[in-house]
Amino acid sequence: MNARPRQSWDPLRLPDLKGRTYLITGANAGLGYFASEQLARAGAHVVMSGRHPNRLHAAHDAIEARVPGASVETLILDVANPGSVRSAAASLKGGVFSRQKLDGVLLNAGIVHTPRRRRITRDGRELVLATNALGHFVLAGELLTTLAKAASGAHTARMVWLGSMSTRMGTYEPKDIQLEKSYAAWKAYVQSKVVVQSLALEANARLREAGVPVDSVLAHPGYSIGGRSPMVAGVNQPSRWKRLRDGMQAPIAQSKQHGAWAPVRALIDPDVTGGEFIGPKFLTRGTPVRVKPSGTSNDPDVRERVWERCEELTGVHWPLAKAARTRR
């Protein structure tokens, strides 16, 4: 029997998402905000999460103003704080929210402008790693059975991890995963993204092996910057100088609105499968297409070591067997 042919993807004509619910981390600004808006325009119910209540509510109000009839709500979630992650997951699992079915989660929140000096969280984890990778590892594990319950027929739930094109700019194998021996701001960012990509690919392998009806997909936004993004009151208000400076990068850069195209496709395109990587066609900009991860991220030995180290650092072991039994 021939497989169904893959359809072309138009980021400006998303499929009807009525009846679907998605959680977005870091939804109060940037890629997270524009992804939330695009999903809401397509009819999805969007749970917008973030750690700053005022900024989160401003983003919520902006979508309601810009998207007539939008179905959105907010959830306080600080991915660098394990207690906050577990509390937010408990709220979703406990049915506190108006929708009890969760079709997908976009693991978007993170630090791009990393601190010059190494900083640690309250629980002793390196800040960039904790924010970009460990918090999402915990969140995805906590929500795994909830995601699995949304599967029905050919429909599988999906978790999308936000990678980076920077992982192609060197090896950055995370042997010193918390950068205790040598810290540099750029190294902290790129290595955290190697960890994220390794987790995403290893997660999909483990989900498939366990028979869990949840796909793990990677996406990256290319080079997406605020000065080329639409003005949204309370969300994106770049100064004239930033507009001018970012405008000079037009040949290689795109707006964060367009940067959100890749993670949105990774989250909702029925033709995308677990383990795939979606990014801009021209690396830094363009329509979202299938791309290849860095060799380091896709190395089976690196993936396994990263997974096991993240289990040690977080104390979290994904309930794969339990999630496999939840399929309807």
Side-chain angles (χ1 to χ4, degrees):
M1 181 176 180
N2 294 329
R4 180 171 61 91
R6 288 179 167 180
Q7 304 297 313
S8 61
W9 183 259
D10 184 350
L12 299 178
R13 295 177 180 274
L14 300 184
D16 186 354
L17 299 177
K18 289 183 177 65
R20 299 286 178 87
T21 298
Y22 299 98
L23 168 67
I24 314 296
T25 69
N28 60 279
L31 298 169
Y33 169 79
F34 287 109
S36 298
E37 184 179 293
Q38 289 166 26
L39 293 168
R41 285 188 187 279
H45 177 71
V46 183
V47 181
M48 305 173 68
S49 73
R51 64 192 180 98
H52 295 291
N54 292 342
R55 296 177 190 175
L56 190 56
H57 287 301
H60 171 276
D61 292 348
I63 289 183
E64 287 201 328
R66 289 164 59 89
V67 183
S71 179
V72 288
E73 56 187 315
T74 61
L75 173 67
I76 299 300
L77 169 58
D78 179 358
V79 292
N81 182 333
S84 176
V85 172
R86 290 185 173 91
S87 177
S91 295
L92 289 165
K93 291 188 291 186
V96 172
F97 285 81
S98 57
R99 309 297 197 280
Q100 295 188 29
K101 181 171 68 72
L102 185 62
D103 295 281
V105 54
L106 173 54
L107 305 169
N108 162 78
I111 298 176
V112 177
H113 304 293
T114 49
R116 291 185 178 181
R117 295 182 179 180
R118 186 177 183 270
R119 292 171 55 187
I120 61 173
T121 61
R122 291 181 180 179
D123 59 339
R125 308 300 177 228
E126 191 273 312
L127 179 63
V128 182
L129 176 71
T131 307
N132 291 0
L134 296 181
H136 286 137
F137 179 77
V138 174
L139 180 64
E142 290 285 339
L143 293 177
L144 188 59
T145 55
T146 303
L147 287 166
K149 289 177 182 177
S152 60
H155 172 62
T156 58
R158 204 170 282 180
M159 57 177 72
V160 174
W161 308 70
L162 198 70
S164 170
M165 65 178 187
S166 67
T167 57
R168 291 179 170 273
M169 303 175 187
T171 304
Y172 293 97
E173 184 176 340
K175 294 179 180 179
D176 178 18
I177 199 168
Q178 291 217 87
L179 299 176
E180 295 171 294
K181 298 177 182 178
S182 175
Y183 178 90
W186 174 249
K187 182 179 181 180
Y189 175 74
V190 181
Q191 182 171 284
S192 74
K193 288 301 183 178
V194 171
V195 171
V196 167
Q197 294 181 182
S198 297
L199 288 174
L201 296 169
E202 183 64 15
N204 195 68
R206 295 185 180 224
L207 291 167
R208 296 288 72 76
E209 183 179 4
V212 179
V214 177
D215 287 334
S216 176
V217 183
L218 260 173
H220 83 84
Y223 183 35
S224 302
I225 50 181
R228 291 188 54 75
S229 303
M231 162 76 173
V232 180
V235 176
N236 187 62
Q237 297 175 279
S239 64
R240 289 184 179 180
W241 165 243
K242 183 171 177 59
R243 285 283 190 198
L244 177 62
R245 183 187 63 194
D246 287 4
M248 295 173 67
Q249 302 182 75
I252 61 169
Q254 65 182 358
S255 68
K256 293 191 176 184
Q257 183 181 40
H258 289 182
W261 285 351
V264 166
R265 179 179 185 182
L267 190 64
I268 67 172
D269 182 359
D271 284 341
V272 168
T273 59
E276 290 193 311
F277 195 5
I278 306 298
K281 183 176 182 178
F282 303 110
L283 183 62
T284 60
R285 61 194 300 272
T287 54
V289 297
R290 291 170 177 82
V291 298
K292 293 183 178 180
S294 66
T296 305
S297 302
N298 203 23
D299 184 310
D301 292 334
V302 172
R303 284 165 31 187
E304 186 174 4
R305 288 200 304 272
V306 164
W307 187 276
E308 291 176 353
R309 191 73 178 101
C310 289
E311 287 182 329
E312 293 172 5
L313 289 170
T314 62
V316 171
H317 296 267
W318 284 21
L320 294 165
K322 180 179 179 181
R325 294 193 300 267
T326 62
R327 183 155 198 170
R328 295 174 181 175

